[in-house]
Amino acid sequence: MIFDLHIHTNCSDGLLSPEQGVDLALIKGLDGIAITDHDTVSGLEMAIEHSKKYNVKVIPGIEFGCVYEGEEVHILGYFIDYRSNDIILATKELRNNRINRAVEMIGKINKLGFNLKVEDVIKFSKEDFIGRPHIARALIEKGYFASIEEAFEILLGRGKPAYVERKTLSIKETIGLIHKVNGIAILAHPGLLKNKGVIDYCLNNGIDGLEVIHSKHKEEDVKYLLEMS
């Protein structure tokens, strides 16, 4: 069976709705997908209900962002109980943190001489979820940058002039939360990590597995990660 286990929808920083994600999986001939939106489970019910019309399975998932020794680390949770109060309360707080951070970043952007309003960004996002890609798309629309990558490289990336650190759960807290809601915790795209010591840290704190196949992984990354597992 062929599954894509790392799908984002427009409930976080993706472009397609949960239903459209299921439709695209059907078109691509996939047996199923895992919806793993950043810090939210709001799209899962829509995707699961829509998938019942077709022969496409939807694995309920999520992707949490953590910070370890100054580097962003992402943890995927699969087969989670997405109706659990634990996950609902945790994701609500994380989304509020994202909104507060986005407002602060927009303020820094304007102090740097740009002209950007919160309303400009919300056009590209959900009102309860604003991420850096949404800010980047708003800046592109205004003609400041040609691509999301350029906006991150010059302005929005870690250590860049408009960057603001986001309040997150720790890696240990994240793994614990995923396990508490009966999920499986997986270290996302570890081949992109600068500090490979993060992998050992996650393994020592109960991570269940590693994401080996990823669009941004090089062949040597895949080989290295397969040898580890």
Side-chain angles (χ1 to χ4, degrees):
M1 299 183 77
I2 302 176
F3 279 67
D4 188 330
L5 298 176
H6 198 146
I7 298 288
H8 295 173
T9 75
N10 62 3
C11 291
S12 64
D13 61 351
L15 297 177
L16 301 180
S17 70
E19 294 90 346
Q20 288 172 327
V22 172
D23 291 341
L24 184 58
L26 185 68
I27 292 169
K28 294 289 187 180
L30 300 180
D31 297 294
I33 57 176
I35 301 290
T36 56
D37 278 316
H38 289 286
D39 296 338
T40 184
V41 293
S42 62
L44 292 177
E45 197 72 60
M46 291 180 280
I48 291 169
E49 284 303 310
H50 190 64
S51 72
K52 292 177 181 177
K53 303 175 184 177
Y54 312 105
N55 191 26
V56 177
K57 304 295 184 184
V58 174
I59 295 171
I62 192 168
E63 183 171 10
F64 291 104
C66 309
V67 177
Y68 180 77
E69 295 185 352
E71 184 171 11
E72 193 159 341
V73 179
H74 290 191
I75 307 289
L76 294 157
Y78 294 119
F79 301 103
I80 58 171
D81 177 4
Y82 62 94
R83 296 189 181 100
S84 163
N85 281 334
D86 294 301
I87 204 80
I88 291 170
L89 291 174
T91 54
K92 181 179 180 180
E93 182 174 355
L94 290 169
R95 290 197 305 276
N96 287 337
N97 291 343
R98 280 183 176 273
I99 292 170
N100 293 336
R101 174 215 206 183
V103 171
E104 189 175 347
M105 288 186 72
I106 291 168
K108 292 184 75 170
I109 288 168
N110 288 326
K111 286 181 180 178
L112 290 167
F114 298 87
N115 179 20
L116 189 68
K117 298 177 182 177
V118 173
E119 293 77 13
D120 298 327
V121 178
I122 290 177
K123 285 167 52 179
F124 295 92
S125 72
K126 301 285 186 180
E127 288 189 14
D128 67 340
F129 187 99
I130 302 177
R132 285 182 292 164
H134 303 127
I135 297 175
R137 288 175 188 136
L139 289 166
I140 291 167
E141 183 185 55
K142 284 181 167 287
Y144 291 122
F145 298 104
S147 67
I148 290 176
E149 292 76 16
E150 184 184 17
F152 269 67
E153 178 63 31
I154 295 174
L155 203 61
L156 306 177
R158 183 178 294 277
K160 301 303 178 181
Y163 183 80
V164 173
E165 194 66 74
R166 179 169 57 88
K167 293 180 182 178
T168 67
L169 297 173
S170 68
I171 289 175
K172 188 173 182 178
E173 288 171 332
T174 298
I175 294 171
L177 175 60
I178 291 169
H179 288 163
K180 189 175 183 179
V181 296
N182 303 317
I184 298 171
I186 304 295
L187 178 59
H189 37 69
L192 305 184
L193 293 169
K194 296 176 183 177
N195 176 11
K196 300 304 182 189
V198 176
I199 300 175
D200 288 332
Y201 179 82
C202 288
L203 290 171
N204 291 334
N205 280 278
I207 203 84
D208 298 301
L210 310 174
E211 184 180 33
V212 175
I213 306 299
H214 188 272
S215 60
K216 293 183 180 179
H217 278 178
K218 298 176 182 177
E219 186 176 341
E220 54 264 36
D221 295 325
V222 174
K223 183 179 179 182
Y224 169 73
L225 294 168
L226 283 173
E227 289 174 352
M228 288 195 70
S229 56

